[in-house]
Amino acid sequence: MAQVKFKSIYEKLRKDIKNDVYKDSMMLPTEMELIKEFSCSRNTVRRAIDELSREGLVKSVKGKGVIILENHNSIEFSISSLSGLKEQSRRDNKTFTTSVAHFSKILIDEELSKKTSLKEGTEVYHLHRIRYVDNEAMILDINYFDIDVVKDLTVEIAQDSIYEYIESKLSTKILTSRKVIVVEKSTELDKRFLDLGSYDCVAVIRNYVYTDAGKLFEYTESRHRPDKFIFVESDSKRYKTNI
């Protein structure tokens, strides 16, 4: 219940920030005002504000309050956040679609184990998903999901939201992820699925994702068009899709 409350407060504050509800003061209401408004604990309010801060939307200043930062109208993805592209795009009023170009079951061999850190012999779903935002082919996701964790995955689910399926339908909690950011020369797959134009490189997020039992169940390469990728550093690191 506390998790649901925290998310609902975060969603409401994020929406209000994006809609310039606080443009006159550029400040969030005080903690006490938010506690009263949402009938929740101080810790729940602080968790919601911390998430907004990780996205670069606000900054807490001791003795002053929570300041809303300007220039918050692009889609931004926190490196530390586990929210998906669909959820993030929906919040920012962007049209989001996913096309599944490849869907199969394979076994992790020695070479793939070194690449993904998934144990050799693990049966996984292997997917290629093209991510469109406002009808632009922006990201190519190459996914490997442990079948024992992500049970009964289908193309239809993969076109919607796999994380939502994992947490809502399978009741499996996603605890954390480890991300590595690199820039690589574009591959034939990148050229095939992304509208790269004259670019010959992609920005890649390598994502290792764990359940709340500490089990590594996913390895994903999110391969981004370079003109749609910006790495930003403030108090915490995040990247944003520059739309």
Side-chain angles (χ1 to χ4, degrees):
M1 179 62 72
Q3 180 74 4
V4 173
K5 190 73 172 180
F6 144 71
K7 285 186 176 180
S8 66
I9 294 171
Y10 158 71
E11 295 272 2
K12 174 63 164 57
L13 292 176
R14 192 180 192 281
K15 181 178 179 181
D16 287 348
I17 290 170
K18 291 288 185 178
N19 290 335
D20 289 327
V21 171
Y22 308 111
K23 65 180 180 180
D24 291 337
S25 65
M26 291 303 289
M27 299 282 293
L28 282 185
T30 66
E31 277 190 1
M32 292 308 299
E33 289 171 333
L34 292 173
I35 289 168
K36 183 177 180 180
E37 177 182 351
F38 294 105
S39 301
C40 65
S41 69
R42 185 185 301 271
N43 183 59
T44 300
V45 165
R46 287 181 175 177
R47 285 184 66 194
I49 292 172
D50 284 346
E51 187 66 20
L52 295 170
S53 181
R54 279 193 289 271
E55 288 192 29
L57 296 176
V58 302
K59 172 69 175 177
S60 296
V61 179
K62 188 174 181 179
K64 188 170 184 179
V66 181
I67 298 172
I68 298 168
L69 303 179
E70 292 183 341
N71 193 27
H72 50 252
N73 292 319
S74 58
I75 297 182
E76 299 188 354
F77 302 95
S78 171
I79 286 293
S80 60
S81 175
L82 290 173
S83 61
L85 179 61
K86 175 186 175 182
E87 180 182 358
Q88 204 78 31
S89 299
R90 182 174 59 231
R91 290 170 184 161
D92 291 286
N93 298 315
K94 299 291 183 179
T95 301
F96 170 87
T97 56
T98 295
S99 174
V100 179
H102 176 84
F103 186 100
S104 66
K105 295 180 182 180
I106 63 171
L107 289 176
I108 295 294
D109 59 18
E110 182 179 0
E111 183 178 352
L112 271 178
S113 181
K114 290 178 181 178
K115 177 180 180 178
T116 67
S117 293
L118 292 162
K119 291 182 180 179
E120 189 174 348
T122 301
E123 188 176 16
V124 298
Y125 292 107
H126 175 41
L127 293 81
H128 295 163
R129 293 189 294 167
I130 309 155
R131 318 290 239 156
Y132 297 88
V133 177
D134 288 346
N135 298 315
E136 290 187 273
M138 194 168 66
I139 303 170
L140 169 62
D141 278 351
I142 300 175
N143 309 111
Y144 300 87
F145 290 101
D146 188 328
I147 285 178
D148 286 342
V149 176
V150 190
K151 300 178 184 297
D152 302 320
L153 186 64
T154 66
V155 170
E156 290 72 26
I157 293 168
Q159 287 175 334
D160 188 28
S161 173
I162 295 178
Y163 278 15
E164 186 176 307
Y165 171 72
I166 291 170
E167 295 199 309
S168 299
K169 301 298 183 181
L170 300 180
S171 299
T172 297
K173 297 301 181 184
I174 301 171
L175 177 65
T176 190
S177 67
R178 179 170 60 90
K179 295 181 172 69
V180 177
I181 305 174
V182 296
V183 175
E184 296 180 347
K185 188 173 179 62
S186 55
T187 66
E188 289 304 315
L189 278 179
D190 298 326
K191 295 172 184 176
R192 177 181 174 187
F193 292 124
L194 299 178
D195 302 322
L196 291 176
S198 61
Y199 294 101
D200 63 354
C201 64
V202 290
V204 181
I205 308 295
R206 292 178 180 152
N207 199 19
Y208 306 80
V209 190
Y210 300 80
T211 68
D212 61 356
K215 180 178 177 59
L216 175 66
F217 75 94
E218 175 196 352
Y219 170 80
T220 288
E221 287 185 12
S222 290
R223 307 180 67 84
H224 295 243
R225 279 174 43 178
D227 62 322
K228 295 297 183 180
F229 182 92
I230 298 176
F231 183 80
V232 180
E233 181 178 6
S234 54
D235 288 346
S236 61
K237 294 180 176 62
R238 68 190 189 280
Y239 68 92
K240 69 179 179 180
T241 299
N242 187 29
I243 300 175

